[in-house]
Amino acid sequence: MIKNLIFDVGGVLFDYRWKEMFMDYGLDEDNAIRVGTQMFNDPDRTWDIFDLGIKSDEEIADIFCKKYPGDEDVIRWFIRHGEYMQVPRPKVWKKVHELKQKGYKIYILSNYPESLFKKHTEYADFMDDIDGLMVSYMIHKAKPAEDIYKALCDKYGLDRSESIFFDDRSENVEGAIKFGMKSVKILSEQVLLDELDRF
């Protein structure tokens, strides 16, 4: 019996508009894709290090700018202004609220640097419904490592067999299943809404 609904944030409770954000700065579409791709797919996994909360925003910007000096201005602007990146999913938030009212416990399990997490969730309705959260910056561990799934369950006394996790990345879904949770890969907002209609 499922009692605990656990949600990733990006790609699940929010969409992201990173390409559009670079274009807001003034880049054309091709350069927006180029800069975003080099940051998010950096071979040294710099963005993953950002999620761990072991370096400051400025230190992360410095690393990127040293590697990509021609894009320094836009990189620093992008890291400084994460509040322009997220796109709300109000239909999902409403469904989460309804499930909370039905008696389900609601949790967040997400990879995020502290500054972005706070900017993205400051005015998000779903934050009023959560019973707890575990974010990578808090423990310097990230999905799909078992440590972060275990940290959430240990902190709130969750039975993993009574929990289901929704994430948009295959490796994180597989990590949850390996840990002993049920898990569903979310490919779109509609997929998530359909899954939540089962509860």
Side-chain angles (χ1 to χ4, degrees):
M1 180 180 177
I2 296 297
K3 297 180 180 178
N4 310 306
L5 307 179
I6 305 170
F7 296 91
D8 179 34
V9 176
V12 179
L13 297 175
F14 279 119
D15 280 321
Y16 287 143
R17 56 181 300 278
W18 61 264
K19 183 183 77 172
E20 292 79 4
M21 188 175 160
F22 283 119
M23 293 174 73
D24 290 343
Y25 182 83
L27 300 186
D28 60 30
E29 185 172 9
D30 288 346
N31 277 304
I33 292 170
R34 176 185 61 79
V35 175
T37 300
Q38 72 187 12
M39 289 179 70
F40 298 128
N41 297 336
D42 177 63
D44 296 320
R45 303 177 68 91
T46 302
W47 197 273
D48 294 340
I49 295 169
F50 196 17
D51 282 339
L52 292 176
I54 57 177
K55 291 187 180 295
S56 70
D57 293 21
E58 197 64 32
E59 287 172 323
I60 292 294
D62 288 345
I63 293 170
F64 277 129
C65 292
K66 185 175 181 180
K67 297 182 73 169
Y68 311 111
D71 299 309
E72 178 169 0
D73 289 347
V74 67
I75 287 170
R76 292 194 185 280
W77 180 86
F78 184 83
I79 289 177
R80 195 173 297 127
H81 290 290
E83 66 270 18
Y84 302 139
M85 194 193 309
Q86 77 277 26
V87 180
R89 286 183 165 178
K91 292 179 182 178
V92 171
W93 300 359
K94 180 180 178 184
K95 189 65 181 177
V96 168
H97 180 66
E98 292 169 354
L99 291 167
K100 171 74 172 180
Q101 290 183 315
K102 287 176 71 172
Y104 289 98
K105 298 292 187 180
I106 308 295
Y107 298 92
I108 285 173
L109 180 64
S110 199
N111 292 349
Y112 249 103
E114 182 175 10
S115 58
L116 278 185
F117 183 77
K118 290 181 175 178
K119 287 177 180 178
H120 289 185
T121 60
E122 183 177 6
Y123 301 110
D125 294 350
F126 62 80
M127 292 297 288
D128 294 330
D129 291 312
I130 67 167
D131 293 283
L133 74 166
M134 185 59 61
V135 186
S136 57
Y137 77 82
M138 296 175 172
I139 58 168
H140 314 308
K141 301 287 184 179
K143 298 173 297 179
E146 180 177 307
D147 310 63
I148 193 166
Y149 304 94
K150 186 175 186 300
L152 177 73
C153 290
D154 287 351
K155 183 174 181 179
Y156 298 104
L158 307 186
D159 184 333
R160 64 190 77 179
S161 69
E162 297 176 343
S163 305
I164 186 167
F165 177 53
F166 303 96
D167 197 288
D168 63 321
R169 292 181 175 269
S170 296
E171 62 269 27
N172 298 338
V173 167
E174 291 163 7
I177 292 170
K178 183 178 178 182
F179 179 64
M181 290 179 177
K182 296 177 177 63
S183 190
V184 177
K185 184 177 180 181
I186 299 305
L187 300 173
S188 69
E189 179 177 2
Q190 190 57 54
V191 168
L192 178 57
L193 290 169
D194 291 344
E195 288 292 336
L196 296 180
D197 279 340
R198 303 175 189 273
F199 295 94

